[in-house]
Amino acid sequence: GKPNTVSKFIRIGIADKNDNPPYFDKNLYEAEVDENEDIQHTVLTVTANDKDESSRIRYEITRGNFGGAFAVKNMTGAIYVAGPLDYETRRRYELTVVALDGVNEQETTAIVKIRDVNDLPPVFNQTKFETTIFEETVHKTQSIIQVTATDGDKDRPENIVYFLTGQGIDTDRPDQSKFDINKTTGEIFVLKPLDRDEPNGRPQWRFTVFAQDEGGNGLVGYADVQVNLKDINDNAPLFPQGVYYGNVTENGTAGMMVMTMTATDYDDLEEGTNAKLKYSIEKNVIDENTGTPIFEIEEETGVIKTAVCCLDREKTPDYSIQVVAMDGGGLKGTGTASIRVKDINDMPPTFTKDEWVTEVDETDGSLL
């Protein structure tokens, strides 16, 4: 007969062995990102697969990540911005990204290009511009100084517009402005005469020049401008009080100080002889006895002294003389010195009559 048999089903499970490396779906990934992009912004995602079903893939950036600019989410492969980006410093990153399954690994390349944005304002070649011109002159066609700025964004068009603000600039009424600038060349002009001297002038004008990129719609840089005014001799000396008062004692000696006359000249004392004054007496009084002037004045100081002795108050109690102050350019101003002779006790009492006569009744000797 037939032998006895028994049949059984045996299921044999084949365990997966991690013997296959991960593989990326691309050998090269490329993306672009703005240099001012936010931190955590996802730039691109790399994707790797593994034939071994049980493998869990992790991602890492191993090379090319200068300054820690990027990071990768190790479970998803999403590469995101992790640090500041600057087009002017680095325009391209070549990242090496590795996929690991715990035993094996594979790498790919991710190239990230940085896009330039307008994030840097124009920069002037100096922080302060300074020039000197003569006062009271107009420079409508010939510039007094030229300023220059360059765009901090290297590869953007140099479309810079210049404008002014500050002293001498009236934006509401441009026709009243004293300065103007060529918006494209940076040349600065003087539109109106500038007075250096007191009481209404000023020796310097200070204002600010701005440079704005993108044709006047972008970022702004600035610098200071100072215009110094060189003096011209356009102010005559003047005696502010007009009339000055002094005293001298009668019967004094020649050379006695009477008073000081001081004139003012608003021109610059440091500019040649524009405000260097010399004093003289234009209308003096003459001594009747000698025919010589009674007063004299020190040319440099304006000190008035007696030129003769023995002024007599009882004869002439007051004198008036005219003093001239002249600057180095020949401009003159005049003032009046009013001098009073002070009395001293130099006259004995005198009777009005040599003999006095009166009559009285006889008396017993009592006082009259």
Side-chain angles (χ1 to χ4, degrees), residues 91 148 276 284:
R91 306 179 186 184
T148 304
K276 185 174 178 58
N284 210 330

Side-chain angles (χ1 to χ4, degrees), residues 115-127:
R115 283 193 298 258
D116 186 29
V117 298
N118 189 20
D119 62 340
L120 294 174
V123 178
F124 285 93
N125 56 0
Q126 55 195 79
T127 57

